Amino acid sequence: MRIMGIDPGYAIMGYGIVEYKGSRFTPIAYGSITTDAHTPNEERLMVLYDELTRIIEEYKPEEASIEELFYNTNATTAIMVGEARGTALLACAKAGLRISEYTPLQIKSSLTGYGRADKKQVQTMVKMILNLSEVPKPDDTADALAAAICHAHHAGGRMPRL
Amino acid sequence: MRIMGIDPGYAIMGYGIVEYKGSRFTPIAYGSITTDAHTPNEERLMVLYDELTRIIEEYKPEEASIEELFYNTNATTAIMVGEARGTALLACAKAGLRISEYTPLQIKSSLTGYGRADKKQVQTMVKMILNLSEVPKPDDTADALAAAICHAHHAGGRMPRL
């Protein structure tokens, strides 16, 4: 099973593609798409959409895993994050991927066995599980890989111990 | 100038296309796209995107006008509205439309000369300006037409008197 995790954002959208076979992970490709804050919003969304579509075509994931977002801060920020997230959902759906959504709690639990793990613990587990030499940068990329791993655990039948 | 106004929403997305020439308006087409709450989010976004794209191809507006959204209520709602809004921006941008964004205050002022006008006053002005026999339903359609009229006033050089 080849899974693309996505951490959606307007300025930085993290992505991480992993192969999951016999409870073993192989990292395929990961990184982030960035957009320039000085360009119009619709152009930024087009960059995000076109880049995601290109990455999907190149690496051919079958499944997408995307974090459910919760904001209790600024609603204007939430609308913008929603715009970027909707663009990611659309790119995946148009490419025929099956999409799963996980809460931050599910992702943390799935990686560390502990829902209140901090960012650093999650990143360390991403590095270990994928056997990487260092934690992927920026954080958005590590978060995208964490979402992909979480989906493998859920879809692969190995549920996190809670 | 042919303008498409959009009132973005997940369940109901209003649209209204008007022709503006020599300070006169002709309504071309208006209505709403609805999506089923029981289908997955990404399928709903695809319906919104594909329908908007089809409407743009059929009526060939050159400009799009979309309301800037402000929410001080539920951030989860704001994220969902953002997803629908991002999908609308993307459909317009992909079709080559020029996009303008207006605040609710700008739209109300442009139609009624008064930023605190209520929904009903704005809808009555939409009906009068477009010479319609009744107020378009649902509200989302009337709001989309209001956004289109606002853009005509701004882009056409006739600024609202504030």
Side-chain angles (χ1 to χ4, degrees):
Chain A
M1 179 166 53
R2 187 167 286 202
I3 306 161
M4 177 165 69
I6 298 175
D7 181 35
Y10 232 96
I12 305 178
M13 185 168 295
Y15 67 90
I17 296 157
V18 302
E19 183 83 33
Y20 183 65
K21 208 172 176 177
S23 84
R24 291 188 73 87
F25 286 95
T26 312
I28 304 296
Y30 50 89
S32 60
I33 306 162
T34 57
T35 69
D36 180 351
H38 297 96
T39 55
N41 289 348
E42 63 271 19
E43 285 180 30
R44 299 175 73 183
L45 295 177
M46 276 212 288
V47 168
L48 296 173
Y49 182 87
D50 290 344
E51 278 299 295
L52 275 179
T53 300
R54 188 189 61 70
I55 290 160
I56 292 168
E57 277 171 12
E58 184 167 353
Y59 299 106
K60 300 185 175 31
E62 299 123 19
E63 310 251 345
S65 177
I66 186 163
E67 191 168 322
E68 274 183 43
L69 301 166
F70 300 93
Y71 273 81
N72 43 19
T73 51
N74 185 323
T76 303
T77 306
I79 287 176
M80 285 196 69
V81 172
E83 290 179 10
R85 191 175 194 278
T87 298
L89 288 173
L90 195 66
C92 291
K94 282 275 180 191
L97 275 65
R98 285 199 304 179
I99 301 170
S100 300
E101 307 185 41
Y102 296 96
T103 63
L105 179 72
Q106 286 177 305
I107 295 176
K108 285 178 185 176
S109 300
S110 175
L111 269 86
T112 68
Y114 177 55
R116 296 197 185 177
D118 66 22
K119 215 171 184 57
K120 203 160 174 62
Q121 287 172 283
V122 173
Q123 291 177 351
T124 303
M125 286 306 296
V126 166
K127 173 178 171 292
M128 285 178 56
I129 291 170
L130 298 179
N131 200 21
L132 304 173
S133 58
E134 52 192 53
V135 171
K137 295 276 168 207
D139 287 354
D140 316 74
T141 301
D143 289 344
L145 287 166
I149 293 166
C150 171
H151 179 60
H153 287 170
H154 280 253
R158 186 163 77 77
M159 299 295 286
R161 280 150 298 167
L162 292 172
Chain B
M1 179 166 54
R2 187 168 286 202
I3 307 160
M4 179 164 69
I6 297 175
D7 182 34
Y10 233 95
I12 306 179
M13 185 169 293
Y15 66 91
I17 297 157
V18 302
E19 182 83 35
Y20 184 64
K21 206 171 179 181
S23 84
R24 292 187 72 88
F25 285 96
T26 311
I28 304 295
Y30 50 88
S32 60
I33 306 163
T34 57
T35 69
D36 181 352
H38 298 97
T39 56
N41 290 347
E42 63 270 20
E43 286 181 29
R44 299 175 73 183
L45 295 177
M46 275 213 287
V47 168
L48 296 173
Y49 183 85
D50 290 345
E51 279 298 295
L52 274 179
T53 301
R54 188 189 61 72
I55 291 161
I56 292 168
E57 278 172 10
E58 183 167 353
Y59 298 107
K60 301 184 172 34
E62 299 124 17
E63 310 250 344
S65 176
I66 187 163
E67 191 167 324
E68 274 184 41
L69 299 168
F70 300 93
Y71 274 79
N72 41 20
T73 51
N74 185 322
T76 303
T77 306
I79 286 176
M80 285 198 68
V81 172
E83 290 180 9
R85 191 174 193 278
T87 298
L89 289 172
L90 195 65
C92 291
K94 282 276 180 192
L97 275 65
R98 286 200 303 180
I99 299 169
S100 300
E101 306 185 42
Y102 297 96
T103 64
L105 179 72
Q106 286 176 304
I107 295 176
K108 285 178 187 178
S109 300
S110 175
L111 269 85
T112 68
Y114 177 56
R116 297 198 184 175
D118 66 22
K119 216 172 184 52
K120 201 158 175 65
Q121 287 173 285
V122 172
Q123 291 179 348
T124 302
M125 287 305 296
V126 167
K127 173 177 171 290
M128 284 178 58
I129 290 169
L130 297 179
N131 200 21
L132 303 172
S133 57
E134 53 194 52
V135 171
K137 293 280 167 204
D139 286 357
D140 316 76
T141 302
D143 289 346
L145 287 166
I149 293 166
C150 171
H151 179 60
H153 287 169
H154 281 253
R158 185 161 77 76
M159 297 297 284
R161 280 150 297 167
L162 293 173

